[in-house]
Amino acid sequence: MTRLSLATAPAMGFDPAAHGAGIVHLGLGAFHKAHQAAYTDAALTADGGDWRIIGVSLRSTEVAEALAPQDGLFTLIERGIEGTKARVIGALAAALALGKDRGTILAALCAPETRIVSLTVTEKGYGIDRGNGGIDRSHPAIAHDLEHPGQPIGVAGLLVWALAQRRAAGVPPFTVLCCDNLPGNGEMVRALLLSFASETAPNLVAHIESKVAFPSTMVDRITPASGPQTLALAQELTGLKDAAAVETETFHQWVIEDEFPGGRPAWEAGGALFVKDVASYEDMKLRMLNGAHSMLAYAGFLAGHKYVRDVMQDRALASMVRRHMAAASGTLAPVPGVDLAGYADQLCQRFENPHLAHETYQIAMDGTEKLPQRIFAPAVEALSRGQSMDAFAFATAAWMCYALGRDGDGQSYALRDPREAEIAMALVAVEHPEGIAERLCNLPGFMPMALRDSQDFRSGVLRHLSVMYGQGMRAAIDTAAGAD
């Protein structure tokens, strides 16, 4: 079977060879390929420009090794209730891995042609100390880069090093564009770089503060991990072998603060929305979509549902999903141009998509990184407004039950959480719901004090956890759904 490449690809909307690279992207994974790369492909088709992407994997070489023989091309498969379609994306100019392409990557970060550095590395990839907003010295990449700032391996180290090199050479700084699901993600990365620079390059701090742009963004596109079935479908749809195909839903959304001193692609051609303040859109997505996703992942996984689409076929659990979205929407400020009830309906339709094999176990990873924004933030807001916190208490209890690391049949599983070892130590010799809730509520820097001090919230968590622990997740879902 012929492999996808520039020589074999079907006609695209632009000639990739005629466009140079203007973006370096750190975190070359499935989501970036389905989201920012797809938007950039649409921008190049509509408006041209030297805006192709040099994609960088910070750890694994697998993605780069799959893309390199294909000249950076890959098949984007979009699957919805209305059908399935595929197109070849030509936005990637190169696919590199830090471990083997360090020199090329550093040169790209310093190149005058690079005007944007974008990021999808997940929260744990940054090395942020959520307690004080600075750097987490225990983070492996941060620890290495503090000791060896001239040989950086992490996000903060790479960006500060590159900005210093550019300034010394008289090259304007690039715009730093975070595309991870984190509130105030632009300001978060700015604070991270300032904190790191204050220790490794103090003469660069004022330059970063005054000259470097950090627009915030809100991104949304459900993108399951690619597997053998994805590659087989790509071959069926295109007639070409593709080792880097990605499968996603038809829906996509990108809201961006329009702050790009060095210019940007015409991402609006792909549907991007440019706004002055992205905060209300961020909160909507984190609390309604991501919050419901986390709840259904923990409850669904422990109820025996492998995929999100299976969860939505469980009438009681589907009703819990809608209840969670309604509770989350009640904590939000008005979102320009968005009807929140309609948004909830749209989310449920997306979750029901029968073509997406989005695993609950995949969504469940990194819980200690996700719950503060997705569950605790709206719970605190509900508390301040005098609203019911029960939906958030149920979600918290479901995470606590999941954190025990064994399913209803007693089979163990990895939590895949950066604090997994700490969680295990906290739960040693604890064999009753009261002790589990007490230990996990008091993980350092995890649950806000307002919730830890709220008898209403704590009692709600314990009530749901007691049923989950004593009778199983199925009973807890049915009990909670029946109470509404």
Side-chain angles (χ1 to χ4, degrees):
M1 174 65 67
T2 303
R3 188 163 184 173
L4 176 64
S5 68
L6 284 172
T8 63
M12 289 179 277
F14 64 97
D15 176 10
H19 300 274
I23 302 171
V24 173
H25 181 83
L26 305 183
L28 181 55
F31 180 77
H32 169 68
K33 289 158 63 182
H35 196 271
Q36 296 89 26
Y39 275 92
T40 304
D41 196 86
L44 288 165
T45 297
D47 198 51
D50 291 328
W51 288 113
R52 294 185 76 204
I53 302 166
I54 296 173
V56 177
S57 294
L58 296 177
R59 293 180 297 275
S60 171
T61 62
E62 184 179 348
V63 178
E65 289 169 350
L67 283 161
Q70 301 180 178
D71 301 313
L73 304 182
F74 63 93
T75 306
L76 178 66
I77 304 169
E78 298 173 311
R79 309 196 72 184
I81 296 174
E82 66 277 13
T84 298
K85 58 183 180 180
R87 64 187 174 107
V88 173
I89 300 297
L92 288 176
L96 308 173
L98 187 62
K100 66 182 185 66
D101 301 308
R102 168 177 288 276
T104 304
I105 293 166
L106 296 182
L109 288 170
C110 295
E113 294 79 15
T114 297
R115 288 163 282 168
I116 297 171
V117 175
S118 54
L119 308 156
T120 50
V121 298
T122 74
E123 181 166 4
K124 63 184 177 183
Y126 290 96
I128 303 162
D129 182 346
R130 274 293 177 185
N132 62 28
I135 53 176
D136 177 3
R137 295 175 180 278
S138 67
H139 188 276
I142 292 288
H144 173 278
D145 291 353
L146 285 173
E147 188 172 350
H148 308 285
Q151 294 86 42
I153 62 172
V155 169
L158 285 164
L159 296 183
V160 168
W161 178 89
L163 287 168
Q165 298 300 310
R166 294 173 75 100
R167 185 188 184 198
V171 176
F174 43 65
T175 295
V176 179
L177 184 66
C178 178
C179 300
D180 279 300
N181 274 316
L182 300 165
N185 53 18
E187 184 56 36
M188 177 209 74
V189 178
R190 181 178 185 271
L192 175 71
L193 265 57
L194 287 171
S195 181
F196 187 86
S198 69
E199 299 201 28
T200 61
N203 63 343
L204 196 67
V205 170
H207 179 71
I208 294 173
E209 286 182 324
S210 61
K211 302 297 185 182
V212 183
F214 295 87
S216 286
T217 69
M218 185 273 267
V219 297
D220 188 5
R221 190 168 214 184
I222 297 171
T223 306
S226 298
Q229 73 284 351
T230 307
L231 307 188
L233 180 58
Q235 185 168 308
E236 176 187 334
L237 293 171
T238 67
L240 296 168
K241 182 179 178 181
D242 182 353
V246 64
E247 190 173 354
T248 189
E249 63 177 335
T250 53
F251 177 90
H252 54 87
Q253 188 175 33
W254 198 5
V255 184
I256 313 170
E257 289 179 353
D258 200 357
E259 186 185 3
F260 293 86
R264 60 169 176 80
W267 283 317
E268 57 268 41
L273 178 64
F274 287 91
V275 300
K276 290 184 177 180
D277 186 357
V278 75
S280 62
Y281 298 91
E282 283 178 344
D283 288 345
M284 176 186 74
K285 197 249 180 175
L286 281 165
R287 297 181 184 186
M288 293 184 69
L289 189 158
N290 297 123
H293 244 179
S294 287
M295 184 280 290
L296 72 82
Y298 301 121
F301 178 80
L302 292 175
H305 297 310
K306 185 173 184 179
Y307 300 117
V308 173
R309 65 194 185 199
D310 302 329
V311 166
M312 300 306 290
Q313 295 302 310
D314 180 329
R315 180 174 297 181
L317 189 47
S319 74
M320 295 293 289
V321 171
R322 285 197 170 271
R323 182 185 83 140
H324 191 100
M325 290 180 187
S329 71
T331 71
L332 296 170
V335 184
V338 178
D339 169 63
L340 294 179
Y343 180 66
D345 290 339
Q346 184 184 52
L347 290 178
C348 288
Q349 292 171 6
R350 293 166 63 192
F351 290 177
E352 292 167 1
N353 188 339
H355 301 296
L356 287 187
H358 202 184
E359 294 191 9
T360 52
Y361 186 53
Q362 178 191 353
I363 300 166
M365 70 189 300
D366 299 332
T368 57
E369 301 282 3
K370 295 174 178 176
L371 261 66
Q373 298 83 32
R374 299 180 177 195
I375 305 299
F376 299 156
V380 169
E381 184 64 28
L383 175 63
S384 72
R385 296 184 181 199
Q387 299 169 350
S388 171
M389 295 180 287
D390 194 59
F392 310 116
F394 180 89
T396 303
W399 172 78
M400 290 180 173
C401 193
Y402 177 86
L404 298 174
R406 56 182 182 272
D407 62 22
D409 297 324
Q411 296 297 310
S412 298
Y413 52 84
L415 300 189
R416 302 189 298 175
D417 189 290
R419 301 180 71 172
E420 185 164 357
E422 184 183 355
I423 291 168
M425 286 296 296
L427 296 177
V428 168
V430 180
E431 297 182 356
H432 51 85
E434 293 85 355
I436 295 167
E438 180 69 20
R439 296 284 182 87
L440 294 180
C441 282
N442 288 296
L443 285 174
F446 179 51
M447 183 178 289
M449 185 67 71
L451 297 182
R452 282 189 283 162
D453 288 346
S454 169
Q455 182 60 37
D456 187 22
F457 184 75
R458 292 283 290 267
S459 64
V461 170
L462 182 58
R463 183 178 71 255
H464 291 301
L465 182 60
S466 295
V467 180
M468 295 171 188
Y469 189 83
Q471 302 175 48
M473 185 59 74
R474 179 74 264 163
I477 293 168
D478 290 341
T479 299
D484 288 342

